[in-house]
Amino acid sequence: MPEQKKPMPLSGYTILDLSVMTAGPVGTMLLGDLGADVIKVEEPARGDLARDLGNQFVNGESVQFMSQNRNKRSLRLDLKSAQGKAVFLRLAKTADVIVENFRPGTVDRLGIGYDAVRAINPQIIYASASAFGQSGPYAAWPANDPIVQAVAGLMDMTGEAGGLPVRLGAPLPDFGAAAMMALGITTALLHRQRTGEGQRIDTSLLGAALFSTIPRDGETIRSGKAPSRLGSGHPTMVPYRNYEGSDGKYFFAACFTEKFWTNLCRVLDRTDLLSDPRFINNTQRTANRHLIDAILEDIFATQPAAHWVKTLSKADVPCAAVQDYHTALTTDPQIRHTGAVLHLEHPVAGPMTNLANPLNLHGTPVQMRRPPPVLGQHSEEVLREHGFSGSEIDALLSKGVVKGSRMDDVDQDLVAPAVAG
């Protein structure tokens, strides 16, 4: 008898995913990785907005979309039509979770909001992610990740001293909201298992962005001053920044304890700095950062960056080369060792990569069961599984309420569960 695979943590749970762009789709992708059946309900004409975003496409498939939608099935459904609404509510009657990240009020106007679904499925968990929250003066603003960075103060505290505010290089508020939403959903599922109660959940990019600034919040409120832009430097720890080697390359050194400061001085043969009253503790080093940085810059300019990374690491000083993102993804030995980059086969785009789920459950590991779906790839399959008859499906297709795959010639033999490489 073949060995039975363990069920995944979220096997058996069905999620209707109405979300688009990044925060919602990444959150549901995390849950799909854990075994949930994520049905991505998409607008019939174009689907998720992310399908048209960016400037890199493979056979018409957006690289941006594919990066955040694995382990899902796609259903093209016209939610603006009465029949489309009826189809959705029929699916929602037996679903476990619904996720949306439209502007507040949109799902209610469509007649598929929390109250409408709860009336037919009292145990539903209904999760909403938005830019600023479901109410308040900014709730209706059009916004995305950098708009939230600007409001939350992240952009103002980022950049070189004396320079302009800078957008973060990665959409961290989006990913913070995605993680918080996934945590909220799994918590609500546990609560429902214990009590039988469903509930509504909402989180926001603004909330996630502000939460990610800990411990800057306490420092700012106590001092009454906003954090200064310090480039790669730190407002309360010195030395703690990028330094340049003799070859023009950079490395980051972080002495966030007295032990690491002592180790640094010893390996540089500058133990005199340990007794210098200007650098006697972190408070004094912070007040005199320009002095200690000037000393270190002169020392580090004598050898290539790689020399300092090796020398300081051996002396137990936290440091690392500042490498570009392509190098990190393709050649960094630690990143390769952790399996952070997955290799999948897409039915239209062919070989592709995704970033792995960073959660490691050793007893029930995450699985890459499906590549990102082609728009409408699973429309008929999903409806059949949820009790729609062949004649009902044909009628919905003929009226355009439901649409099938955007490419009728997709070879279904290629749509096999993808194995992480």
Side-chain angles (χ1 to χ4, degrees):
M1 179 178 292
E3 181 182 354
Q4 295 292 315
K5 288 187 176 181
K6 289 183 179 180
M8 299 180 69
L10 297 183
S11 294
Y13 291 107
T14 298
I15 298 174
L16 299 181
D17 181 11
L18 295 165
S19 66
V20 299
M21 298 291 283
T22 299
V26 170
T28 54
M29 182 174 73
L30 291 172
L31 300 174
D33 289 350
L34 294 169
D37 179 18
V38 181
I39 300 171
K40 190 171 179 66
V41 181
E42 302 191 66
E43 186 274 329
R46 308 295 295 184
D48 185 336
L49 296 172
R51 289 188 182 273
D52 289 329
L53 291 184
N55 58 10
Q56 295 190 42
F57 296 82
V58 183
N59 295 332
E61 296 294 307
S62 163
V63 170
Q64 178 165 328
F65 174 86
M66 291 190 293
S67 71
Q68 54 202 31
N69 281 287
R70 65 169 176 261
N71 284 335
K72 302 179 185 182
R73 298 190 288 171
S74 173
L75 165 65
R76 298 170 78 179
L77 180 62
D78 182 8
L79 292 171
K80 294 180 180 179
S81 69
Q83 282 186 297
K85 169 187 168 183
V87 169
F88 180 83
L89 291 176
R90 185 167 163 183
L91 298 173
K93 192 171 183 178
T94 56
D96 297 287
V97 180
I98 293 173
V99 173
E100 63 91 14
N101 66 345
F102 300 126
R103 289 196 207 184
T106 299
V107 287
D108 291 324
R109 289 194 296 273
L110 290 171
I112 57 172
Y114 174 62
D115 291 335
V117 175
R118 184 179 59 172
I120 59 172
N121 183 354
Q123 290 190 318
I124 194 68
I125 293 164
Y126 203 112
S128 299
S130 60
F132 297 112
Q134 296 298 305
S135 61
Y138 301 166
W141 281 12
N144 63 351
D145 186 279
I147 303 301
V148 172
Q149 289 185 35
V151 171
L154 290 176
M155 199 174 288
D156 182 73
M157 69 173 75
T158 306
E160 294 296 330
L164 298 175
V166 174
R167 177 183 64 86
L168 301 179
L172 296 186
D174 266 328
F175 282 82
M180 290 296 102
M181 184 179 71
L183 174 63
I185 290 170
T186 52
T187 302
L189 286 170
L190 178 61
H191 175 75
R192 190 182 73 179
Q193 181 180 332
R194 290 172 171 173
T195 67
E197 299 174 349
Q199 61 181 299
R200 187 173 187 181
I201 301 168
D202 76 84
T203 190
S204 68
L205 275 67
L206 179 61
L210 289 172
F211 195 70
S212 74
T213 63
I214 295 173
R216 298 289 85 75
D217 60 320
E219 298 165 359
T220 297
I221 293 173
R222 183 176 178 82
S223 69
K225 297 179 181 179
S228 300
R229 288 191 285 279
L230 296 170
S232 63
H234 195 283
T236 63
M237 298 178 189
V238 176
Y240 194 105
R241 50 159 275 199
N242 287 330
Y243 293 96
E244 185 178 7
S246 62
D247 54 353
K249 296 182 179 181
Y250 289 86
F251 65 97
F252 196 100
C255 295
F256 50 90
T257 68
E258 291 303 314
K259 169 190 170 182
F260 294 137
W261 165 243
T262 299
N263 291 349
L264 177 67
C265 292
R266 287 175 176 168
V267 74
L268 297 180
D269 197 23
R270 288 299 307 268
T271 54
D272 59 297
L273 299 177
L274 295 173
S275 58
D276 190 317
R278 298 171 299 174
F279 314 131
I280 199 67
N281 55 37
N282 184 65
T283 300
Q284 290 302 311
R285 291 194 297 274
T286 301
N288 295 291
R289 67 169 70 233
H290 62 291
L291 298 176
I292 188 61
D293 279 340
I295 293 170
L296 294 177
E297 286 169 1
D298 287 344
I299 295 172
F300 292 142
T302 63
Q303 295 287 344
H307 165 84
W308 294 118
V309 171
K310 182 177 180 180
T311 301
L312 270 57
S313 295
K314 189 174 180 180
D316 196 28
V317 176
C319 66
V322 177
Q323 58 190 13
D324 67 75
Y325 189 50
H326 184 266
T327 298
L329 292 181
T330 57
T331 64
D332 183 90
Q334 182 63 31
I335 292 175
R336 294 182 68 177
H337 172 77
T338 61
V341 179
L342 306 175
H343 297 272
L344 294 78
E345 186 75 22
H346 189 272
V348 176
M352 59 168 289
T353 60
N354 264 188
L355 289 180
N357 191 314
L359 180 62
N360 293 310
L361 296 173
H362 290 254
T364 53
V366 300
Q367 295 179 21
M368 305 306 109
R369 297 168 291 118
R370 298 177 181 272
V374 175
L375 178 60
Q377 180 180 332
H378 307 97
S379 293
E380 296 180 52
E381 173 183 299
V382 166
L383 294 180
R384 282 196 302 271
E385 289 180 5
H386 286 80
F388 286 78
S389 67
S391 58
E392 286 179 306
I393 294 173
D394 288 342
L396 292 168
L397 289 169
S398 66
K399 294 177 181 178
V401 176
V402 172
K403 291 188 177 182
S405 172
R406 75 167 184 87
M407 294 185 66
D408 294 333
D409 59 349
V410 171
D411 184 351
Q412 293 302 308
D413 289 337
L414 295 178
V415 191
V419 179

